[in-house]
Amino acid sequence: HRVFDISNLGNLASYGLYRGNPKSKVMVIGEALGEEESIKHIPFCGKAGVLLDRIFASIGLNTNRDCYLTNLVPYRPVAPEGSGKKNLAPTKAQIDACKHFLDKQIGLICPEIIVLLGKVAMEGVLGYKGPISKHVGLWALDSRYPGIRFFIMYHPAFLLYSQRDPEQYQVAREAMWLHAKRLRNKVDLLGGNELTYPELETTN
Ligand code: URA
């Protein structure tokens, strides 16, 4: 039995563990809640989440029906006052403290595919260091999670951020579109539109 260490959450911690369908075969892992998410207690309900919904809709996936969305940490890491920052990426200590929540969810959901959004999720789950550009758009396996196919994508917040630079935005958009199609191809290979596990027979 492991006790969740809340000592470094501060008293502004506000939780939102997941949204979507727990029977889904596709799990999506982000970083942490943003401001809007922490108010509504719903992951990916802010700007990045709206864009994520659009990207997934473009490949025929409804995030609430066909996916289970969660984060490395189920709360919003609060930026120190006066730091000028709004959202913070979770620290290694915060990710480690919440890792058993994530692993528990993976064990309960039993996804066939896990999409890792952005470098922090990639490093937090697979331990890959270095630039995401080496791994993004590619599939990965990990012996700690047998049978699960990991797919690394850019975080939608990166797309929003890169809108400031039209050239970078164009490149990022094209990459995102290509990667989304790769994800769709794998979903099709794994059984097309049957994106959820059937209802289990209950016996008592
Ligand atoms: N960004 C994330 O990584 N997760 C959310 O839930 C919202 C924004």
Side-chain angles (χ1 to χ4, degrees):
H1 181 72
R2 298 171 76 181
V3 177
F4 182 44
D5 175 12
I6 58 163
S7 57
N8 55 11
L9 300 190
N11 53 16
L12 292 173
S14 170
Y15 297 88
L17 189 59
Y18 80 92
R19 79 165 161 91
N21 184 352
K23 289 195 165 59
S24 175
K25 297 178 180 180
V26 180
M27 184 164 175
V28 179
I29 303 178
E31 293 181 9
L33 304 189
E35 187 176 23
E36 199 160 335
E37 285 83 8
S38 76
I39 292 167
K40 295 187 180 157
H41 303 274
I42 301 171
F44 290 105
C45 66
K47 271 191 190 159
V50 169
L51 178 56
L52 182 72
D53 286 354
R54 279 178 43 206
I55 292 162
F56 274 51
S58 79
I59 51 164
L61 300 186
N62 175 311
T63 55
N64 283 323
R65 182 193 63 202
D66 303 320
C67 304
Y68 176 98
L69 278 55
T70 187
N71 285 296
L72 292 176
V73 305
Y75 60 92
R76 180 182 185 218
V78 177
E81 227 169 287
S83 71
K85 289 189 172 165
K86 261 186 79 181
N87 292 327
L88 286 183
T91 63
K92 171 119 184 22
Q94 291 170 331
I95 294 168
D96 289 349
C98 296
K99 194 66 194 301
H100 61 291
F101 271 158
L102 191 64
D103 285 339
K104 186 86 186 176
Q105 291 174 83
I106 294 173
L108 288 168
I109 305 301
C110 284
E112 293 188 5
I113 291 172
I114 293 183
V115 178
L116 300 171
L117 294 176
K119 177 179 155 59
V120 180
M122 172 186 82
E123 186 171 339
V125 176
L126 298 176
Y128 296 174
K129 308 256 188 229
I132 186 176
S133 53
K134 264 174 60 187
H135 305 285
V136 73
L138 299 177
W139 292 92
L141 296 173
D142 187 305
S143 58
R144 287 167 295 184
Y145 303 98
I148 298 178
R149 298 150 185 88
F150 290 92
F151 189 59
I152 296 141
M153 293 180 83
Y154 287 122
H155 197 293
F158 167 67
L159 239 68
L160 293 174
Y161 181 79
S162 65
Q163 281 176 347
R164 296 168 192 188
D165 175 342
E167 254 173 62
Q168 194 197 344
Y169 182 51
Q170 185 61 22
V171 172
R173 266 181 55 163
E174 281 173 16
M176 192 63 128
W177 174 237
L178 176 71
H179 301 162
K181 281 195 292 189
R182 281 186 199 158
L183 173 62
R184 180 69 224 191
N185 287 343
K186 185 72 84 184
V187 165
D188 287 335
L189 278 176
L190 295 177
N193 274 320
E194 290 154 32
L195 290 162
T196 56
Y197 293 102
E199 209 69 53
L200 286 179
E201 296 269 336
T202 49
T203 49
N204 43 4

